[in-house]
């Protein structure tokens, strides 16, 4: 069916893999939309109210079917948005094609693009001279601050999707370099409670299974990091019959993991017992040379943290004689020691590299937050402080209420007597 | 063995059930101490440093073996402490006896004391003219503010153990009546992540099983409230094979419950399908007349929230012809409609009424926070603001580290490279 | 209330602790009856049909509230039954009293009776000259065969409740000594799928928690044996947040345990990592000298297998300087090595020694099988082969149907088309 | 890389999609082999001993990477085997190509072949004049009996992989038509405990996720059938955060499901509450017209039972105006009522249609049983009875032992004292 598309008829700027993939992308975007009722309602209101009319947005996201629905909502709101990939391996080329062809939205993203291309696309996003940056990991914002400070006065604000991006923004603020508001979308309850936990939990295992088709039951799975993402991965891995080991640096999270029934140990020890390793720490070189050296023959390593430096692939390369693909997205490193280590998705986000990222149902809430954060920035232009700004509590609650409604779930409301009780303090035993 | 105790030889003031129970209490206090290594270390340091020398403390807690270990630690620190029960049904009479007999600590608490006695004990606690109130539900603090405002100048501060108590203290502060610091012990991560979740989870089911000896597998258990306590109860109930239904008023918590695999519905609907109901909301009349009317014949209701008003027993009485005990702590209400409803522990905290409260292992951290909060109040006397004050972060982390060590668990520490990475923001994709 | 009982008014033979406990026992027996709707229906039919009129039965069971309901049903059927304990520690003295006082059933059982008394009671059961033996572990049947062969001609048959008893009966049959039918009640699906798994699972943990009040979350629990009982214990232990290790001798069960997510290792290794050990193997000396020697200080051991020889207490005694109770049912052995080992319930069935045995809801099905097995023996007197005889399939299915009904659960029935399909073989792809 | 293959150089008979896919298939077959250590050891022994020399085998299996390893082992044993697909949608075309090209094994199987082609391939399998039929669902055996009775004298026996196939064979035997031995591979413990439960559990969800990318957390998943496959699917669905409903016709299995914490209800009721339906019953029309009519809009149905008649697609078609693909393997039926129903994989085995079938690790044991069953048939030629014959117990245990070894798991062995104990019956309480 793709043969009906004539590339020359497409007028918006784009740099994508293949425009003829648009029909497949369109179908998949529509499928995802079914599971995104909250974003759909926001889109409908945006289309009527045009709250982002005249606003230029540079959005840096994983180019998935869910992101497409966000981009469509932003456009419906009147925004002039361009979209780039937030990760070289996470682009779905059919989605990119459909956004360009069916929706007239500029996209610069190709699955498997090299780092130079990736950075060129970041530059193209900034060349759009955005008023708002929708960021995912803060690469665009960082580039703006480091290399395009002249554009800062045009910036109304940014929104940040990830834990990792917020760590960077807070460090940037401490250095006095974050001089505009950055909405902490990640910190919305309707975002990180769900997307980070249930989304990452399911999609990380999905990526590993698609890449390897191995049985998880009976395997020792080492989860590095017991934050929201790690909790999700550990929970689902146990749900699939794995024996889960957790590594941590935070003693409170370590006790939680232990009382949740997992073994907790340092990576030095975990390296020796694991069959599969999954990093979700937001930190660097969590699995490194000393760990590769003691792993079992055929151990599998994957990353589901934002950046691809959680696994030290440079060290692994150095230890290895050769590396070759044994399945799609699955590379075997032959170590000089005679053992092998299997790396999935080149150490990039495994759920996006080898599967399709978070399911639409959780991204519905995450991207509802993104859409409303953009509206909030515009409505409060000039009135927000510099630095990381939380998403308003009532936005968060409203998204939750819409989501519940869409899930067909009813809950209780406080009786007047209960409201009074919660506000009094004189009634006790 | 108890016959060797001559009551007339006891010199500290007390109002307890039976001093001859002291040997049994002593044995059980020592047993609990084994699972409280963090508090033990603090007690040892307190004994050497005497940081609470000359400080009068009124402690209002569930009088359990774990509380006894806290009281012993406070005494070791040089404090002059009296202990009263925070709930009429939660006192362990043997523990009270041992504290008086073996440790010379004044206790005013009798299991099953009536409300008048309970309130008289609160008055006796205040008559001790405390500098610090260790509170659990804020009954002593509320009484102080309402009826003994003259003593407020002597107060250094209070510490509060429960979510419920903090709700009251914040309401009190909004009303301008909380004019001294109140340390939010409940909000320490090493407290509410563990005690509220794993402690309440296990001990609530323990109370129900001891009271009824019924099989939980295959039962529909309705958990009202999906806060930390509710999460713990729901998790453990599922762990025992129950089919769990959650009721909530907070839409975010409701979605969490749904994505954790539980059914979520209003209490109106849950009332009809539940076999066992457990309230853990911190609110009033969560189960009330309209719910009793539609419950199945023989439905069981229990409360694990702080106060005994989550279940509206007045309404139940009104609907009933008679009530009688069918097992210890287990009353059957014969409704005029012909059905019956079973109430456990008179609607008071079921884990304390029908079992022994939270296991020592979690109270270890909770009470380590209490002990260190008292020391913190004394050290910072005059320098803390009025209102609810968080426990210092480093206290929380230190408790976690000591606990991990005691559990024999080692974790990772950041490499210098990782520390640097977490503080930089320029390194990205 | 017990003061109204005049012991001299009781006419049936008995050897129990205290007849004045009858009212408490009565109350508890009635409470259990609520959760035993299947047995109740059978009792009602038995009362009308008297299928066991004139039959003398010697029942050897744990004397619990559930067993009481079985005894009452057998009496209702016209049987002349006497009841003895199947374990020195499992008798509930109030239940024994009520059976004697309220129901006129002879009971010879005292909690904590010594082995000599236990064996004397076995003799008294046989002195009743039973036509049917309802056995639990086959002690009565074994004594009959070894020492009272003259009574064998009077025997219609026996029924056996446990896996352990069936192992003995099969060995007895191989030796040519089992010359009458023994109904394998344990092997009914409605028995071992439920009682062994869900009953043992819950009640074993209940016993350990009542005895110790320790938090299971975060503990390493070693489950020796992954049969139906072991599966139940491991599942529930994980459900309470423990990290479970399984030991096995059967490779198939070992792989199952591994694929269920548990660690599997030999007891030699498990001994070093466990915090709590639970034996459910049906075998002897599963935990022995070499294991005690390498356990952590303060390790807890309990048995939930039928006999008290799964833990080698003789070896433990030999390794120890002293032993003393630290809580009810909880003994600490001080080893000469300086470490201690905690033993619960003297190594006897921990769910019966320290808690109340299996909940009524599962015993409902187990004892429905017992009651119907007795009826089946009488109806088929003379027509059954010697040796272990399965419970008829339709009895099993009928019990399941009654139970489902009582649980308020409806299921599907085959359509005529489906019945036809299942009986044909020519319809394929 | 595939361009190096010249189709005309291939000499073995075949009917496959594309011979140039061989290199990809080879790579994937080798990858699967890593997780099949037991079959690998058997293959090595077979290669040395040639136990199947001169034996013609017709194997009808899902043509997956795991089956390829079985075919290779049979060839190594000296057999002359041809392979056909056991399901029109389950063939992996690259695997078929590699078997032909790299291993010289005849394959007649094309993914998506129509029913006519499927039946033609069954005929081609029989035209090979097999001594042994390795069957999966008994289509080949049924065709033999119905249409090629003349070949029966040449048959040594068959082996059957599935529950469904055994139901057919037993019906065939009752009709007096099964006149040769059929080894019940499915009934080996090392087969159905693992493949049916853990294999089906993981791969069924994998198929649904690959086809739809929807989040399972929070969805109501209805599992029809609580046999080994259903248990696996229900367990894993809960492990992914779904709320699971079970339907059954067997009351014992229904109580099990309830006590495992699942809701149990008839399909009539389940149809109304389910978001996703999975059939694993081995029966016909489990989901039919009356159920489609009451499903929620957008409900998803999938089958993981052997045949594609568990979901009545004829009725669904009849209720619908149109049907169209909304994603790969995912069809939306637009009902005349205005609602839609989503069908995955055309109602065929969803794990094979939309994913890659059972992971290698479980098929390792299943196919080890198949390989050893073939050897057993040859060794016992003429000495086995007609009808369904169990796999020898020691074969089963040996496979388990090899598997455990390969998993690096050690277990206990009985001490002499324990062996003696298990064989005696005189030692009791």
């Amino acid at each position: 069916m793709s043969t009906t598309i004539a590339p020359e008829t497409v007028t918006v700027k784009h740099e994508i893999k293949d425009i003829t993939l648009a029909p497949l992308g369109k179908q998949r975007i529509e499928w995802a939309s079914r599971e995104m009722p909250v974003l759909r309602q926001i889109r409908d209101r945006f289309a009527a109210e045009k709250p982002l009319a005249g606003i230029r947005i540079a959005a840096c996201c994983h180019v998935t079917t869910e992101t497409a629905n966000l981009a469509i909502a932003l456009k419906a709101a009147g925004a002039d948005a361009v979209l780039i990939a937030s990760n070289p391996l996470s682009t779905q080329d059919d989605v990119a094609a459909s956004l360009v062809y069916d929706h007239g939205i500029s996209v610069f993203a190709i699955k498997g693009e090299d780092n130079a291309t990736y950075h060129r696309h970041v530059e193209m996003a900034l060349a759009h001279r955005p008023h708002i940056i929708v960021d995912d990991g803060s690469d665009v914002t960082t580039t703006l601050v480091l290399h395009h400070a002249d554009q800062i006065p045009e910036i109304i604000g940014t929104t940040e999707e990830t834990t990792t991006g917020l760590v960077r923004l807070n460090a940037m603020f401490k250095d006095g370099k974050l001089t505009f508001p950055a909405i902490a979308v990640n910190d919305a309850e309707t975002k990180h409670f769900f997307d980070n936990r249930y989304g990452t939990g399911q999609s990380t295992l999905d990526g590993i299974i698609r890449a390897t088709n191995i049985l998880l039951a009976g395997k020792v799975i080492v989860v590095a990091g017991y934050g929201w993402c790690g909790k999700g991965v550990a929970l689902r891995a146990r749900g699939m019959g794995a024996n889960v080991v957790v590594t941590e640096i935070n003693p409170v999270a370590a006790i939680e993991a232990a009382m949740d029934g997992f073994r907790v140990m340092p990576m030095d020890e975990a390296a020796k017992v694991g069959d599969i390793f999954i990093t979700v720490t937001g930190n660097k070189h969590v699995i490194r040379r000393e760990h590769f050296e003691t792993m079992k023959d055929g151990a599998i390593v994957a990353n589901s943290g934002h950046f691809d430096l959680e696994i030290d692939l440079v060290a692994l390369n150095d230890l290895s004689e050769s590396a070759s693909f044994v399945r799609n997205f699955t590379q075997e490193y032959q170590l000089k020691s005679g053992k092998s280590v299997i790396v999935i998705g080149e150490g990039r986000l495994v759920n996006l590299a080898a599967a399709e990222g978070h399911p639409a149902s959780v991204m519905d809430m995450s991207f509802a937050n993104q859409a409303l954060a953009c509206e909030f920035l515009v409505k409060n232009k000039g009135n927000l402080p510099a630095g990381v700004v939380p998403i308003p509590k009532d936005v968060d609650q409203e998204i939750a209420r819409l989501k519940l409604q869409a899930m067909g779930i009813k809950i209780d409301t406080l009786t007047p007597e209960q409201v009074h009780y919660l506000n009094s303090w004189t009634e006790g035993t």
Side-chain angles (χ1 to χ4, degrees), chain A residues 94-327:
Chain A
D94 58 337
V95 168
S98 175
L99 280 175
V100 170
Y101 183 79
D102 298 305
H103 298 281
I105 295 170
S106 286
V107 181
F108 311 108
I110 298 167
K111 179 154 190 166
E113 63 192 29
D114 59 21
N115 275 1
T117 306
Y118 174 80
H119 288 295
R120 190 161 51 75
H121 287 164
V122 172
E123 291 294 335
M124 290 170 82
L126 288 170
H128 186 56
R129 300 205 77 93
H131 301 111
I132 292 175
I133 295 167
V134 173
D135 219 346
D136 184 297
S138 283
D139 273 354
V140 180
T141 305
T142 300
T143 306
L144 171 83
V145 167
L146 287 177
H147 305 303
H148 298 277
D150 60 303
Q151 286 185 222
I152 292 178
E154 297 168 23
I155 293 287
I156 298 175
T158 72
T159 68
E160 173 54 45
E161 176 75 8
T162 66
T163 312
T164 297
L166 290 175
V167 170
R168 290 179 91 183
L169 289 169
N170 279 314
M172 201 185 284
F173 184 70
K174 260 204 315 202
D175 276 8
K177 297 293 172 55
L178 181 60
T179 56
F180 43 84
I183 308 291
V185 166
N186 179 74
D187 289 355
E189 293 191 342
T190 47
K191 200 278 177 180
H192 73 279
F193 279 1
F194 300 98
D195 164 341
N196 301 26
R197 188 164 31 160
Y198 308 111
T200 305
Q202 175 171 314
S203 64
T204 297
L205 299 188
D206 183 20
I208 292 172
I209 291 173
R210 292 200 206 192
T212 65
N213 201 39
I214 64 169
L215 185 77
L216 301 186
K219 292 289 192 301
V220 176
I221 297 189
V222 177
V223 179
Y226 202 64
W228 289 107
C229 291
K231 282 181 171 71
V233 173
L235 183 67
R236 296 307 179 224
R238 172 153 64 189
M240 296 303 281
N243 183 277
V244 177
V245 169
V246 170
T247 73
E248 250 300 339
I249 52 143
N250 175 344
V252 172
I255 306 177
E256 271 190 286
M259 291 204 178
D260 284 339
F262 301 116
R263 275 189 286 170
V264 179
M265 59 183 77
M267 187 56 85
D268 276 358
E269 289 174 32
K272 295 173 200 159
V273 300
D275 296 308
I276 301 172
F277 297 79
I278 301 168
T279 53
V280 269
T281 67
N283 209 332
K284 186 178 178 174
H285 293 181
V286 175
I287 298 181
R288 47 189 183 265
R289 173 182 286 265
E290 66 219 60
H291 305 133
F292 293 124
E293 288 175 339
T294 61
M295 282 181 184
K296 295 187 204 170
D297 185 30
I300 294 172
V301 297
N303 169 47
S304 208
H306 184 77
F307 288 119
D308 65 342
L309 38 61
E310 304 214 2
I311 301 169
D312 186 355
L313 290 179
V314 173
L316 180 57
N317 251 310
D318 196 49
L319 287 170
S320 300
E321 282 178 335
S322 63
S324 60
F325 278 93
V326 287
R327 271 174 66 108

